[in-house]
Amino acid sequence: MALHFELVTPEKLVRSDEVYQVVVPGTEGDFGVLEGHAPFMSTIRDGAIQIYASAGASPEIIPVEGGFAEVNEKGLTVLAEKAG
């Protein structure tokens, strides 16, 4: 099973992919999301999203500034003010 992940800014869709895990810089602390995670929403702080393509893989790092993250039955969507 894979987690559907989308990273979106006001200008464009930055990333849409099936991944193993994503670590998001939430305002209350970093949180990791895997397939089947419980639904929730969080604001995000300036930091870096870590995207793991598979278990044990080195993460791809994408800097982000502000925004929101939503986890639902479809996966994880991050709406960032700026990314990259």
Side-chain angles (χ1 to χ4, degrees):
M1 298 290 293
L3 170 69
H4 182 73
F5 168 65
E6 290 191 347
L7 175 58
V8 183
T9 66
E11 292 81 30
K12 65 180 180 177
L13 174 63
V14 176
R15 179 86 182 258
S16 180
D17 208 355
E18 302 296 316
V19 299
Y20 172 71
Q21 179 182 14
V22 179
V23 178
V24 181
T27 52
E28 300 294 321
D30 292 357
F31 59 91
V33 180
L34 296 162
E35 172 66 25
H37 195 289
F40 80 102
M41 288 188 74
S42 175
T43 53
I44 59 173
R45 68 180 194 286
D46 296 356
I49 291 179
Q50 301 170 46
I51 304 164
Y52 295 84
S54 61
S58 295
E60 175 185 348
I61 306 294
I62 301 178
V64 293
E65 294 181 18
F68 296 90
E70 178 183 12
V71 179
N72 60 32
E73 67 280 350
K74 295 178 184 175
L76 168 64
T77 301
V78 174
L79 306 169
E81 294 170 16
K82 292 184 182 179

